[in-house]
Amino acid sequence: MRSLVPLTEQDACRLICPWCGRAARGTGGFRVVRGGATIGAAVLAPPERGSDLCPPRSAVLTRLWVRPDDVGEHVGTQLVQRVCAELLASDLRHLVAYGTRGRPDCAHLPVGWLAVVGFADHGGTQWRIDLRRAAPSLGFVRDAASGLLRGWRPGRDKPAPANRG
């Protein structure tokens, strides 16, 4: 079973990407852990100072990777969804990522994948999720998940017995 765990700035600096061997730099994010090992990570940072490229109230996805053996399990998608939920709760408006049509790495993600998980193209290499537009669908997902969980909790919301006589 895997778990999603918050990532501190110190934790992010200690994580080494299994694809490129570089450590991540950022102020936080999330990692996915299974059996005590990190199988994926999403590292965030604020936009660079003086940069006009990122809109106000945005966060930048500086690194996102999934361990090679765990690719295809939607770990990256789960990380992006969790990051969006946290950013929305912290009153930020955009998640920015950088993509490539060439060979991807942990800092430049495949543009096809970015489009599938909800990012929109903003100038070739920069991709963004507008959290205000994504919020209604995130709310739907949250409501659907809570409804499913309510149905799986034993002893709660049980139907009343039919008193047939």
Side-chain angles (χ1 to χ4, degrees):
M1 183 154 153
R2 63 186 189 207
S3 307
L4 213 64
V5 180
L7 196 60
T8 65
E9 187 172 353
Q10 293 79 21
D11 293 335
C13 291
R14 283 184 240 139
L15 283 178
I16 304 296
C17 172
W19 297 92
C20 69
R22 291 182 288 189
R25 290 195 178 149
T27 57
F30 291 92
R31 65 187 176 121
V32 177
V33 178
R34 179 174 33 220
T38 299
I39 64 169
V43 181
L44 298 170
E48 290 182 22
R49 289 186 181 212
S51 172
D52 293 334
L53 297 175
C54 293
R57 296 172 59 189
S58 62
V60 179
L61 187 61
T62 60
R63 297 274 188 263
L64 187 135
W65 55 262
V66 176
R67 201 169 59 177
D69 293 344
D70 301 295
V71 169
E73 295 183 22
H74 302 288
V75 173
T77 303
Q78 182 182 16
L79 284 164
V80 168
Q81 290 171 345
R82 181 60 185 261
V83 165
C84 287
E86 289 296 317
L87 293 178
L88 195 59
S90 65
D91 203 32
L92 290 176
R93 296 221 173 144
H94 296 93
L95 175 60
V96 176
Y98 292 93
T100 182
R101 295 188 193 289
R103 185 174 177 184
D105 60 29
C106 57
H108 303 89
L109 304 169
V111 296
W113 181 80
L114 288 171
V116 167
V117 296
F119 285 87
D121 186 358
H122 281 269
T125 60
Q126 189 181 93
W127 290 70
R128 298 180 196 164
I129 292 179
D130 183 339
L131 298 169
R132 292 171 296 175
R133 290 186 179 171
S137 60
L138 290 174
F140 171 75
V141 170
R142 184 184 60 240
D143 294 344
S146 68
L148 285 171
L149 288 174
R150 220 181 2 251
W152 287 337
R153 289 185 200 147
R156 293 188 184 222
D157 297 323
K158 282 187 175 179
N163 293 326
R164 297 183 185 173

